Amino acid sequence: MKERLYEILNEEKIHEIIPFLQQLSIEERKTLVPSIKKMDREISKIVMTKNSYHTAGSVSQHSIIDIASFVCMDKKNFGKNYWSLFRNAEQTEQILEWGCPEWFSDFINESVEAEFTAFNYKDILGWTEKGYVQPKPELLGHHLSNYPADLDHHPETLNTHFWYLCEYPSKSLPFRKEWLPIVQKLIAEKKIERKRFLKECLLASNRNFNKNVTGWFMDAFTALKPTEEELYELQDELFSGLSSPQSKAVNTILSHLKKIVGTPGFKTDEFSQYLPNLLSSEVKTVVVASLVLIEKIFQRKKIDPEILGMPLSTAFVSKDDGIQSKAAKIILKYIPASENMIEALSHYSDNILTNVRPLLIKYIEEKQHELEAIASKQLFLTTDENAVRVLHSFEDLMFHLPLAMDDPYSHHCDIALNGFIRFAGNVDADSVKLIELVFLKACKTIAKWEVPFLNVLLCNAIINYGLSLLEKYPVQLKNLERIYQKTQEEEISRESYSNYQKKLGPIENVGADCPARQAFKELAIHVVQKIQSGDKIPLLFPITHAPCWISPVILVERLEAYQNNNVIPHHLDIQLALQRCALDDTSEAIKLVEKRLKGEYRELLLFFFGKNTFPQGPYEHPSWWMTAGITRSPEAVFEEFKRFGYDTIPQEFFSGSYEWKTIDSKKNSYYPAELNITIPKYHLEKRKEPLFVEYFVAEQKELIEIPALMLCFPNTPANALAKVIKHCLFYSGIAEVYERSLVLNTANALYQIKKPLDEIGYLYLGTVFLDSDKTIRGTAAEMWIEHVSGQIMDNARLGRVIGLHERLEWAPVKRLTDLIQHHMLNVSKNHNIALEELITNILFQMETPITNLKKILEIYHEVLALNHSEAHKEIISKLNSWKENSSLKKICNLLLKK
């Protein structure tokens, strides 16, 4: 059978495959499955040509394998191939007539999850009539959404399936422009019931559809122009839609409620129950529309004012001046100062803005509650709370390795490597069995297509260690050979791809396609050699405190071990250790150096820890001294180091000082301004002892690993931040998932480092304050709050960055003002003082009024009132100029009165 199948495939006899399969029994077909899979792999290999690439198999060969797979495999083995077999409809029908698999119906029903299929609603109807498929409502609704044609050809289409479309639409529905005119036509012809469809549109608001699908139903509802009578009858569905997570749905419903809100039949009590959620919404248009409805009810109906007055108090959750002023005016005009109303407003009293408070003098205490000043706390880099775990045995190591493989760029990897050095040789016939599950996980991890590079190195080390144990314990570890062979076969099948980087075999042969990866590979080779030789002198670079720090005391102790054993550390090992060393408190470490170390070790660390202002040599290892100087004092240039030969490396990579500016973006009308940062090009030079930083700043293929690599330079993160700024933050609205993920991970890494920022640090923080992603902006605000608490935030420098961006409207001002209102205002008295300095320095950079400058000035007015301060004299001169602008006149005059 196998030989016959190979013959049909090799000679491309596509007309013979179906007759061949027909004559086989079910069992015979099953035995062919491994061969079919092997043939599929062979014809799917990529063949590279000079200008393009293609698979090894021809079109006919792929068709033969598709047919054989469909007939012989079960659903699990066939997978989710909704395309290839079904391109030839006639061929598919021929196969189904004599050999429809028992799993075919389930397979087709699951096609709603597919990105695309080669069959459609019409095909499904045909298969249903012939009994091949028992369609679920989800299947019919999904595929009908994508087939706006021939709706009268099957009676069930409009009677039943159309309503499935309303309940289970395809994500593509909004992009099928034909559907809305078709629906309007069908309703006009009374082929579908108008009232039922209107109801279904409203129910769509809470069916967890994506915003495009929900928006389509809202647009359809509006396009049908429901009458007042229809809106009355649909009040329950309208009210239910007010709790939708989609603001488009809520705003649409509010606009329709406005048409009936003042009439006798409107259910005011029911509407009031939804007001707390509506008025506390973060979407301003929802809050404003709700306030308009409340006012209309008061204008047109006689009701107990507290029915709406009590929930109306939740509008003061918002710190928006316009919203609070509108709510206050409604209260003042329509709602008496009853005990209940005073009680309701008391919960929001501290949130009511200074210029709104006088309007509500009858309802709240005139004086605002004073915030307390919080005691500033120093942020220490190495404490008992962030000390990492220490392994105590071989068993500990085996249980910890899976954690390191799951998160290779975290401190778990450092813990694992330390454990390997200490306990790799502490194994016996019983404990060795623990390696099997670890080995299996390493093989499964390394066999994936996309594997983080540090995971490749870690898994490779684990696999080679497991194979060395297999030689010593062949009985206990007999399964390892089978596991490894399967992994090896998978790698061999991928090596035909020209861009494939080798992962298995000796660690020296692992592919490293950029300088940064070459550095880590060199370190990995060093670690593996230590494991193989049984060298238990500790590595220098593993961290002692999360996320990336080495205690200076422990660094001294580790170097003492090298001194006492007369062993020279690996040049990258000691450099990485110096880069990661916490330098905020080195007093105890200095005493230890003076007591225990001598020669170059002693002088190096006394300079590095700040005891010696200038280096004093001997300079036997220039890379150590250079790294110590860069890490300790990035902007300093030490005369003693000039003869080391590193002067070919651009100074920016040592100092972290890059030229940057925000400029008019004449080439892109969508983004009015562009952030430019200049990063010199550098190619790795061959030298006896290259600097670790050289590998990082040289051209590298992957950017995604930058946040993790940044934790190798926690004292000097500017080089990493500059790369992310250049590639991901040149415009304010980059929306690609890759860029957003990289910017967020970098922001998180910078937040975890907890050190005062340098110039590029402030550029990065100020830029992500204005990012289009809400989570990224939130992370920036959290960093600001913590740095202000620790008195390590320079608000003048941060404000200058934001101001220089916004003077050219690099990003919408609303992003900044929303962030301040929701995250940064009224955290504490200290934070309000810091916020005043921040906004003042933002305004220093403004010349002519920009869009939404009014909102910044309103927040500035509020902060000044909270701090009992007055506008800075330089700002006052700007206000006198800006007040000529009609939209700014009121707020400028308020600020000038202070």
Side-chain angles (χ1 to χ4, degrees):
M1 289 187 300
K2 295 177 187 176
E3 292 77 11
R4 176 63 178 142
L5 182 57
Y6 265 112
E7 181 189 332
I8 292 170
L9 182 70
N10 290 335
E11 297 181 14
E12 301 186 27
K13 297 178 178 179
I14 192 167
H15 59 284
E16 293 185 14
I17 184 62
I18 292 177
F20 165 69
L21 295 171
Q22 279 179 305
Q23 67 187 13
L24 301 179
S25 67
I26 293 173
E27 288 304 315
E28 286 173 328
R29 292 174 194 166
K30 285 181 181 177
T31 60
L32 277 178
V33 170
S35 298
I36 294 169
K37 287 184 174 180
K38 186 178 179 183
M39 294 176 201
D40 189 29
R41 286 197 296 270
E42 288 173 0
I43 67 171
S44 296
K45 285 181 180 177
I46 301 297
V47 177
M48 303 297 295
T49 62
K50 186 176 181 181
N51 298 317
S52 65
Y53 61 90
H54 58 81
T55 60
S58 66
V59 173
S60 294
Q61 286 176 322
H62 282 290
S63 293
I64 290 167
I65 291 300
D66 290 339
I67 294 167
S69 300
F70 182 72
V71 172
C72 299
M73 291 180 180
D74 57 19
K75 184 159 73 80
K76 181 180 178 182
N77 279 303
F78 189 69
K80 295 185 176 180
N81 188 350
Y82 295 109
W83 181 254
S84 57
L85 178 75
F86 300 95
R87 283 177 295 189
N88 187 328
E90 186 179 332
Q91 178 182 277
T92 305
E93 287 297 326
Q94 186 183 351
I95 298 167
L96 290 172
E97 282 175 12
W98 64 266
C100 179
E102 61 181 20
W103 48 264
F104 184 69
S105 181
D106 289 340
F107 173 76
I108 297 299
N109 273 306
E110 290 170 8
S111 68
V112 295
E113 299 172 7
E115 285 295 318
F116 50 82
T117 63
F119 53 87
N120 58 32
Y121 173 74
K122 187 179 178 181
D123 296 319
I124 292 166
L125 291 182
W127 293 333
T128 302
E129 287 176 3
K130 293 175 182 177
Y132 302 149
V133 175
Q134 293 75 52
K136 293 181 178 179
E138 293 93 323
L139 178 75
L140 293 163
H142 175 89
H143 283 282
L144 178 57
S145 297
N146 298 319
Y147 192 77
D150 301 333
L151 302 180
D152 291 323
H153 287 194
H154 193 284
E156 288 297 300
T157 297
L158 294 180
N159 292 338
T160 306
H161 301 171
F162 177 79
W163 305 110
Y164 293 157
L165 177 152
C166 295
E167 201 167 347
Y168 307 105
S170 160
K171 287 185 282 191
S172 302
L173 174 64
F175 307 106
R176 300 284 183 177
K177 303 299 182 187
E178 310 97 321
W179 264 118
L180 190 52
I182 286 173
V183 169
Q184 290 173 310
K185 183 172 180 288
L186 290 170
I187 288 174
E189 294 172 353
K190 299 192 175 177
K191 290 182 178 179
I192 59 173
E193 185 187 342
R194 174 184 169 87
K195 183 179 174 183
R196 183 177 177 184
F197 181 71
L198 287 172
K199 186 175 181 179
E200 290 292 338
C201 288
L202 294 175
L203 292 175
S205 61
N206 281 308
R207 280 181 168 157
N208 292 322
F209 300 152
N210 68 36
K211 65 179 183 180
N212 292 324
V213 175
T214 304
W216 185 88
F217 280 104
M218 294 302 107
D219 289 340
F221 185 84
T222 301
L224 290 172
K225 298 178 181 177
T227 64
E228 280 193 14
E229 185 180 344
E230 286 171 329
L231 292 172
Y232 280 133
E233 292 178 9
L234 291 167
Q235 273 188 86
D236 290 342
E237 287 76 22
L238 285 162
F239 290 148
S240 178
L242 293 175
S243 59
S244 171
Q246 305 283 2
S247 60
K248 169 77 180 278
V250 177
N251 277 322
T252 299
I253 289 168
L254 288 170
S255 70
H256 287 289
L257 285 174
K258 198 188 298 184
K259 299 169 186 174
I260 59 169
V261 75
T263 54
F266 183 74
K267 299 176 182 177
T268 305
D269 285 1
E270 288 186 29
F271 173 64
S272 68
Q273 294 170 23
Y274 292 90
L275 281 175
N277 281 336
L278 292 171
L279 294 172
S280 57
S281 171
E282 290 185 8
V283 182
K284 185 175 179 178
T285 53
V286 169
V287 181
V288 171
S290 302
L291 290 172
V292 168
L293 257 67
I294 291 169
E295 191 166 29
K296 280 187 177 293
I297 294 171
F298 278 126
Q299 288 170 347
R300 299 181 185 181
K301 297 184 75 172
K302 287 187 177 181
I303 58 166
D304 177 355
E306 288 190 358
I307 291 175
L308 298 179
M310 301 291 282
L312 179 57
S313 60
T314 56
F316 294 98
V317 166
S318 169
K319 291 179 180 174
D320 183 275
D321 182 82
I323 287 172
Q324 287 205 10
S325 296
K326 178 78 172 173
K329 287 172 184 174
I330 293 172
I331 290 170
L332 201 60
K333 188 171 182 180
Y334 298 107
I335 305 168
S338 65
E339 287 184 17
N340 287 338
M341 198 61 205
I342 291 170
E343 169 68 18
L345 281 170
S346 69
H347 298 297
Y348 305 95
S349 179
D350 289 343
N351 216 43
I352 296 174
L353 299 174
T354 311
N355 62 317
V356 176
R357 297 185 75 82
L359 297 174
L360 298 172
I361 196 165
K362 292 190 294 183
Y363 303 81
I364 58 173
E365 291 182 20
E366 185 177 356
K367 193 170 182 182
Q368 194 165 2
H369 175 69
E370 282 282 335
L371 284 173
E372 292 183 6
I374 60 170
S376 64
K377 55 177 184 177
Q378 188 174 350
L379 300 173
F380 289 103
L381 302 176
T382 55
T383 65
D384 291 342
E385 287 75 23
N386 69 327
V388 302
R389 180 186 174 196
V390 176
L391 303 182
H392 297 286
S393 65
F394 176 81
E395 287 78 5
D396 266 4
L397 173 62
M398 291 300 106
F399 289 123
H400 186 80
L401 281 171
L403 196 61
M405 284 186 275
D406 285 337
D407 195 3
Y409 288 104
S410 71
H411 61 269
H412 299 302
C413 193
D414 291 58
I415 295 170
L417 293 176
N418 251 341
F420 251 132
I421 298 300
R422 292 181 63 194
F423 305 117
N426 298 7
V427 60
D428 56 34
D430 290 326
S431 62
V432 76
K433 295 172 186 174
L434 293 172
I435 190 69
E436 185 171 323
L437 287 177
V438 177
F439 188 90
L440 176 61
K441 183 175 178 67
C443 285
K444 282 187 172 179
T445 302
I446 209 168
K448 296 174 185 174
W449 269 105
E450 298 292 332
V451 190
F453 187 68
L454 287 194
N455 229 346
V456 172
L457 296 176
L458 178 61
C459 291
N460 178 283
I462 292 168
I463 290 167
N464 286 331
Y465 175 65
L467 293 175
S468 70
L469 291 179
L470 175 61
E471 293 178 8
K472 297 177 186 175
Y473 302 96
V475 177
Q476 292 89 338
L477 301 178
K478 59 185 178 183
N479 289 332
L480 264 59
E481 191 170 355
R482 176 181 54 80
I483 295 167
Y484 182 65
Q485 186 177 355
K486 184 182 177 186
T487 310
Q488 222 175 8
E489 286 173 2
E490 290 182 2
E491 173 153 273
I492 290 168
S493 71
R494 292 173 180 174
E495 285 181 340
S496 61
Y497 294 85
S498 61
N499 62 343
Y500 183 77
Q501 298 289 314
K502 192 164 181 61
K503 300 173 187 173
L504 295 178
I507 199 157
E508 290 83 357
N509 296 342
V510 169
D513 56 357
C514 70
R517 290 179 175 178
Q518 290 164 18
F520 283 107
K521 177 182 169 180
E522 194 174 330
L523 274 173
I525 291 169
H526 171 62
V527 172
V528 168
Q529 287 172 347
K530 282 176 71 70
I531 294 169
Q532 290 171 345
S533 65
D535 177 1
K536 295 199 174 185
I537 301 175
L539 291 164
L540 296 172
F541 73 79
I543 67 166
T544 61
H545 292 74
C548 54
W549 297 110
I550 296 174
S551 158
V553 169
I554 293 178
L555 178 60
V556 175
E557 291 170 350
R558 288 175 180 174
L559 279 172
E560 185 185 15
Y562 282 84
Q563 174 183 274
N564 294 345
N565 284 278
N566 200 26
V567 174
I568 303 297
H570 188 283
H571 72 104
L572 291 181
D573 185 11
I574 189 170
Q575 287 185 63
L576 184 51
L578 291 169
Q579 288 166 188
R580 288 175 159 180
C581 189
L583 298 175
D584 58 326
D585 183 7
T586 58
S587 54
E588 188 181 344
I590 289 170
K591 293 175 188 173
L592 207 60
V593 170
E594 293 176 327
K595 184 177 178 182
R596 296 191 188 179
L597 297 185
K598 54 191 176 184
E600 188 175 25
Y601 291 126
R602 174 189 173 88
E603 297 306 325
L604 175 74
L605 290 192
L606 288 177
F607 165 67
F608 183 56
F609 292 152
K611 177 70 183 293
N612 295 343
T613 307
F614 296 99
Q616 294 180 16
Y619 306 115
E620 295 171 21
H621 297 89
S623 66
W624 302 5
W625 287 93
M626 199 71 186
T627 300
I630 298 165
T631 306
R632 193 199 83 160
S633 309
E635 295 185 3
V637 177
F638 296 98
E639 289 293 325
E640 294 84 350
F641 296 171
K642 286 188 175 179
R643 61 184 176 82
F644 289 169
Y646 296 112
D647 51 344
T648 56
I649 303 170
Q651 187 63 31
E652 289 92 331
F653 299 139
F654 298 154
S655 67
S657 297
Y658 293 89
E659 287 186 12
W660 68 272
K661 56 186 174 181
T662 315
I663 61 169
D664 281 325
S665 181
K666 295 182 172 60
K667 60 186 176 184
N668 191 326
S669 58
Y670 189 76
Y671 297 108
E674 182 178 339
L675 170 56
N676 279 354
I677 185 166
T678 305
I679 301 179
K681 290 200 177 203
Y682 179 69
H683 297 286
L684 197 62
E685 290 187 20
K686 286 187 179 180
R687 56 175 101 238
K688 184 181 176 183
E689 279 195 9
L691 300 179
F692 195 103
V693 71
E694 284 185 82
Y695 290 95
F696 183 69
V697 298
E699 295 296 327
Q700 62 188 55
K701 185 177 179 182
E702 293 293 338
L703 275 167
I704 196 68
E705 295 163 337
I706 282 181
L709 295 175
M710 188 169 83
L711 298 182
C712 296
F713 302 89
N715 287 294
T716 54
N719 293 322
L721 296 176
K723 280 179 182 281
V724 178
I725 291 166
K726 184 173 182 64
H727 292 281
C728 303
L729 292 170
F730 44 93
Y731 294 139
S732 70
I734 302 297
E736 295 298 323
V737 173
Y738 172 83
E739 278 85 2
R740 278 208 314 270
S741 173
L742 185 55
V743 172
L744 177 59
N745 291 339
T746 304
N748 282 328
L750 189 62
Y751 180 29
Q752 291 167 21
I753 288 172
K754 302 187 188 306
K755 270 185 65 85
L757 301 174
D758 58 12
E759 180 62 27
I760 298 301
Y762 282 109
L763 174 60
Y764 188 85
L765 182 61
T767 303
V768 297
F769 255 74
L770 305 168
D771 196 88
S772 59
D773 187 279
K774 199 172 183 181
T775 307
I776 293 170
R777 295 200 305 274
T779 303
E782 288 298 319
M783 195 188 310
W784 179 82
I785 289 169
E786 184 173 84
H787 280 221
V788 169
S789 298
Q791 292 189 320
I792 56 171
M793 174 56 64
D794 186 335
N795 287 288
R797 292 173 79 181
L798 179 62
R800 178 178 174 272
V801 169
I802 297 171
L804 287 172
H805 286 343
E806 289 306 80
R807 71 189 291 178
L808 294 176
E809 301 192 45
W810 184 80
V813 166
K814 188 177 186 299
R815 293 179 189 170
L816 174 66
T817 53
D818 282 356
L819 190 69
I820 293 173
Q821 287 181 322
H822 296 138
H823 294 274
M824 299 162 65
L825 188 61
N826 280 341
V827 175
S828 75
K829 190 173 182 180
N830 315 48
H831 289 84
N832 281 348
I833 292 167
L835 191 55
E836 179 183 335
E837 185 182 8
L838 178 68
I839 298 173
T840 299
N841 281 276
I842 291 172
L843 293 173
F844 280 165
Q845 310 306 320
M846 302 291 176
E847 298 298 334
T848 56
I850 61 168
T851 306
N852 260 340
L853 176 60
K854 177 185 175 186
K855 190 66 188 174
I856 298 179
L857 294 175
E858 285 174 352
I859 295 173
Y860 186 48
H861 177 264
E862 179 67 15
V863 171
L864 292 176
L866 291 168
N867 293 340
H868 308 294
S869 303
E870 293 185 356
H872 190 281
K873 60 182 180 181
E874 190 177 325
I875 304 297
I876 288 173
S877 66
K878 291 177 183 287
L879 293 171
N880 280 314
S881 169
W882 293 341
K883 71 180 181 180
E884 301 303 318
N885 184 303
S886 59
S887 65
L888 299 178
K889 184 176 181 179
K890 181 181 175 184
I891 185 61
C892 286
N893 285 330
L894 278 172
L895 283 162
L896 289 167
K897 284 179 187 175
K898 289 197 70 64

